[in-house]
Amino acid sequence: MGMTASLGGRVSMNHQPGGVLARLLPAVVLVFLTLPAPAAESVAQAGASDLASAKARQLFMMHRRAIKALETTVRGPSFKRYFAATDDTQRTAELAAIEKSTLKVQRYFDIEEMCLIDRSGRELLRLVKGEPEEHLSTDEAANVFFEPAFALSEGDVLVSPVYRSPDTSQWVLAYVTPIAMNGTNIALLHYEHDLAAITRELAEEIDASSQALIAMDEAGRFLFDSRDPDTLKLSGESDLPQDLGGLASAQVLARIDAGEPLDGYAGAYKKVRGWTVIALQR
């Protein structure tokens, strides 16, 4: 064994490859692994899936909030008392009570329009943006929600397809529930929500530099595209768009199902009460 004198006069071992320490200490091998980075497509796909789930939950809660407003209102006792009344004085008093209680709910839940409609299609009461309307419609029976809502059991709520309101000419959707007397539906309570307000809320927190959000209905109409905020600004009686960049709704979903990019984005979608929420990420 080689020995060397240190500067302090102490003896130290000469650490040579063949020395005792080299024979006694176990060999330590350090292996550095470089894991492959996730492919950009996988990251974008995961982002699209997360965004679709988040926006579907948001839409579900928006529907739930509107349904809660309707259920809260229709539980008021004045509705049944109004239809059970036998004289005009009592009916007038009960209708005034309905108007007062409904206005409170309408303002709290930010509802565009509320109507009480009888079986013939005649409006008994209409409140628009928190104010009662004097001119009432006598023919609401042709509305898309009318017959389907009368077919419901009392306590159930219909979320209607999107339609153009004959009163405001805006694209809207309705939440409707029947009112029954002695087991027979005799009227509807109907809340109308502006579609543009719903889609604006859905578009909040969308990063336009890398994300997009699209919504379509069961009829394959495109209700909203965050990349084209003018989607709903259609004049006259024009319907909503039936295609997205030349692709029909079924083609759009088929492309997403196949994992193919859509306009350079990865896509994912979720269905909520007749709507399909499509999230795009790149």
Side-chain angles (χ1 to χ4, degrees), residues 81-228:
R81 290 202 295 249
Y82 170 81
F83 290 105
T86 56
D87 63 79
D88 290 342
T89 300
Q90 186 180 359
R91 274 192 292 270
T92 299
E94 296 300 342
L95 194 60
I98 290 172
E99 179 181 307
K100 183 178 179 180
S101 64
T102 303
L103 277 172
K104 289 181 181 178
V105 176
Q106 188 180 19
R107 288 166 180 161
Y108 180 78
F109 287 96
D110 192 26
I111 296 165
E112 289 287 315
E113 179 177 317
M114 169 270 169
C115 298
L116 180 62
I117 305 168
D118 70 13
R119 192 62 183 90
S120 71
R122 179 172 61 101
E123 286 183 335
L124 304 173
L125 177 68
R126 179 154 61 98
L127 306 169
V128 179
K129 296 185 183 297
E131 297 295 334
E133 288 283 320
E134 294 182 4
H135 304 290
L136 302 177
S137 171
T138 58
D139 186 18
E140 293 290 308
N143 274 325
V144 65
F145 60 79
F146 190 81
E147 290 300 338
F150 266 111
L152 295 177
S153 298
E154 187 176 25
D156 290 344
V157 175
L158 171 76
V159 180
S160 82
V162 172
Y163 62 97
R164 193 187 286 278
S165 170
D167 301 316
T168 65
S169 296
Q170 301 297 315
W171 291 102
V172 297
L173 64 155
Y175 300 85
V176 197
T177 193
I179 297 169
M181 293 292 286
N182 301 318
T184 300
N185 291 339
I186 60 169
L188 300 176
L189 183 62
H190 154 259
Y191 281 158
E192 200 168 79
H193 284 252
D194 184 1
L195 176 60
I198 294 173
T199 56
R200 277 196 304 271
E201 187 172 339
L202 282 176
E204 291 176 355
E205 299 181 0
I206 293 292
D207 182 355
S209 67
S210 60
Q211 298 176 322
L213 189 71
I214 298 165
M216 64 186 193
D217 66 7
E218 287 180 306
R221 299 179 301 172
F222 288 90
L223 309 176
F224 172 71
D225 184 341
S226 64
R227 301 167 299 174
D228 179 16

Side-chain angles (χ1 to χ4, degrees), residues 38-109:
E41 293 83 357
S42 299
V43 174
Q45 185 62 59
S49 181
D50 289 346
L51 182 60
S53 295
K55 291 302 177 180
R57 286 193 298 271
Q58 184 180 0
L59 178 59
F60 176 81
M61 293 306 297
M62 291 164 70
H63 283 318
R64 185 176 177 180
R65 188 169 66 235
I67 290 169
K68 180 67 173 178
L70 193 63
E71 292 172 339
T72 299
T73 307
V74 80
R75 281 198 295 266
S78 292
F79 288 93
K80 294 293 182 76
R81 290 202 295 249
Y82 170 81
F83 290 105
T86 56
D87 63 79
D88 290 342
T89 300
Q90 186 180 359
R91 274 192 292 270
T92 299
E94 296 300 342
L95 194 60
I98 290 172
E99 179 181 307
K100 183 178 179 180
S101 64
T102 303
L103 277 172
K104 289 181 181 178
V105 176
Q106 188 180 19
R107 288 166 180 161
Y108 180 78
F109 287 96

Side-chain angles (χ1 to χ4, degrees), residues 226-257:
S226 64
R227 301 167 299 174
D228 179 16
D230 292 334
T231 303
L232 299 174
K233 294 180 181 177
L234 302 174
S235 60
E237 295 303 315
S238 299
D239 202 352
L240 293 162
Q242 295 273 354
D243 69 276
L244 183 72
L247 295 176
S249 58
Q251 294 173 303
V252 170
L253 298 187
R255 182 168 288 190
I256 293 173
D257 287 337

Side-chain angles (χ1 to χ4, degrees), residues 254-268:
R255 182 168 288 190
I256 293 173
D257 287 337
E260 298 176 6
L262 192 67
D263 295 338
Y265 295 82

